[in-house]
Amino acid sequence: MPLWIIASISAAFMQNLRFLLQRHLKVTTLSTAGATWARFLYSAPLVAILVWAYLGLSDQSIPITNPRFWMFIVAGGLSQILATMCVVALFARRNFAVGITLKKSEVILTALVGLLVLGEAVSTVTVIAICVGFAGVLFLSDPPEGGRDMPWRDRIFNAASGFGLASGLLFGFSAVGYRGASLSLESGDVLLRAFFTLSAATAVQTVSLGLWLAFRERDEIGRVLASWRVSCLVGITSMLGSIGWFIAFTLQTAAYVKAVGQIELVFTFLFSVFWLKERSTGKELIGIALIIASLALIVWGAF
C-alpha cells in the first residue's frame, strides 16, 4: 500500500481523537479560540524537536525557503486556524458525528481549490461526487430541534451548516496551501520537507492566534495553560495527525489525500455511538450516507 494512503488513514484517526478532545475543552472550560490555540501551543514545541531530531538522524540541513513557501504557509496556517474554530463552534450546535460530517465538505472543496490554485485537475467522477455530497449537506443542514416550521431558506442557510461549510472551504485552502509550501522547498527528502513545513505552520499559528488572544481574550491564555492535562493530549494527537497529513500532501494531490482521509467518518461514528452515546436522526443518517457515497466516488476515481 502506498505510503500516502497509510499516512492519510493514520492522520484521520489521530485527527478524530484530537477533535474529540477539543470538543471536551470547548464544552467544559475553554472558548472556541482557546480550544483552537491549545492545539497549536502544545504541538509546536514537539514538532520543532521532531525536525531537530530528524535533521541529526538523516544528516541533512534545514531546507532553503523562499517567498512562495512562506506565502503558502501563512495562507494555509491562517485558514486552518479559522477552519478549526468553525468546527469547535459547530460542536455547540450539533452532535459530534454530524459536526464532523458537515466538516467533510472539505474533500469536495479541496478539489476545487486545488484546481484553482495549483492547477491540479479533478475527474468527471469527482464532479458527480460534488453533486451527491451537496445533497447530503442539505439533509444535514436541517436544524435538529425547533426548526420544523422554519422557511426552507432558514433550514438550509443556518449557523450549523454555515460553520460546517466554512470549515470545509477553509480546510481546503489550508490543505492546498501546505501542499504548495512543501512542493516549494528546494531541498530535503519527503519526510524532512513534510516535518519542516509542519513546524513552520504550527509556529505561525501559535504566534498569530496567541497575539489575537492577548488582545481579545487575555484571560483565556491562563485557562489554556491551566488545562494542560487535556491540552497536552490535544497537542500530541494534533502533532501525530499533522505528520500524517503533511507526509501525504508532500506525496499526493491534496484532494485525493482528503478523500482517503474520509475514513475518519468511520472512526467518528464509533466514538459517537460507543463513547459519547449520541444518536442521529433519520434525516441526518441519510445526509451522512450521501456524503459517504460522494467520498467513495472520489476515492474510486483516484484509483
Side-chain angles (χ1 to χ4, degrees):
M1 182 179 293
L3 176 60
W4 73 270
I5 296 180
I6 298 174
S8 299
I9 294 174
S10 301
F13 179 76
M14 298 310 302
Q15 179 171 280
N16 192 73
L17 284 179
R18 190 251 299 169
F19 275 127
L20 188 64
L21 292 168
Q22 282 185 298
R23 179 186 185 277
H24 173 75
L25 290 174
K26 166 64 179 174
V27 300
T28 55
T29 57
L30 302 181
S31 68
T32 296
T36 303
W37 190 53
R39 168 194 178 180
F40 304 124
L41 177 66
Y42 288 95
S43 65
L46 298 176
V47 178
I49 293 173
L50 176 66
V51 173
W52 175 79
Y54 189 73
L55 284 172
L57 291 173
S58 63
D59 195 25
Q60 299 181 74
S61 58
I62 296 178
I64 299 174
T65 61
N66 51 62
R68 179 179 174 84
F69 172 83
W70 290 109
M71 178 190 71
F72 277 122
I73 283 293
V74 172
L78 295 181
S79 294
Q80 189 176 29
I81 288 175
L82 295 174
T84 304
M85 292 176 70
C86 285
V87 174
V88 174
L90 176 60
F91 288 148
R93 297 177 180 271
R94 303 301 290 269
N95 71 34
F96 183 63
V98 175
I100 290 296
T101 306
L102 278 169
K103 168 190 167 292
K104 288 308 164 189
S105 59
E106 69 179 297
V107 68
I108 298 168
L109 297 170
T110 297
L112 298 177
V113 175
L115 174 63
L116 294 174
V117 177
L118 299 179
E120 296 178 332
V122 295
S123 65
T124 302
V125 174
T126 301
V127 176
I128 297 174
I130 289 174
C131 297
V132 175
F134 180 71
V137 171
L138 292 182
F139 275 98
L140 284 172
S141 64
D142 191 29
E145 296 178 1
R148 304 297 181 186
D149 299 325
M150 295 171 61
W152 70 269
R153 288 189 179 87
D154 294 335
R155 293 163 73 91
I156 294 176
F157 301 105
N158 56 71
S161 60
F163 281 130
L165 293 174
S167 70
L169 179 60
L170 290 165
F171 273 124
F173 274 109
S174 70
V176 173
Y178 293 150
R179 175 165 169 78
S182 182
L183 295 177
S184 298
L185 293 175
E186 301 174 359
S187 61
D189 61 19
V190 168
L191 292 180
L192 179 57
R193 284 186 287 136
F195 295 161
F196 182 78
T197 302
L198 172 59
S199 180
T202 53
V204 168
Q205 291 165 324
T206 301
V207 172
S208 58
L209 187 53
L211 290 174
W212 190 90
L213 285 174
F215 283 103
R216 298 297 299 271
E217 300 182 41
R218 183 166 298 180
D219 293 342
E220 195 67 15
I221 294 177
R223 296 189 188 97
V224 172
L225 297 176
S227 67
W228 64 270
R229 290 179 178 83
V230 177
S231 294
C232 279
L233 294 176
V234 171
I236 293 172
T237 53
S238 174
M239 180 195 71
L240 294 175
S242 295
I243 287 173
W245 290 130
F246 277 69
I247 291 174
F249 290 147
T250 303
L251 294 171
Q252 182 56 271
T253 302
Y256 291 148
V257 171
K258 286 294 185 179
V260 173
Q262 301 320 299
I263 194 174
E264 180 186 359
L265 285 170
V266 177
F267 304 140
T268 296
F269 279 106
L270 291 176
F271 277 112
S272 180
V273 172
F274 294 105
W275 188 341
L276 300 178
K277 308 300 181 182
E278 294 180 337
R279 293 183 178 181
S280 296
T281 67
K283 186 170 291 187
E284 289 170 345
L285 290 174
I286 293 173
I288 289 169
L290 287 171
I291 290 183
I292 291 176
S294 74
L295 302 177
L297 283 171
I298 294 176
V299 174
W300 177 68
F303 296 98

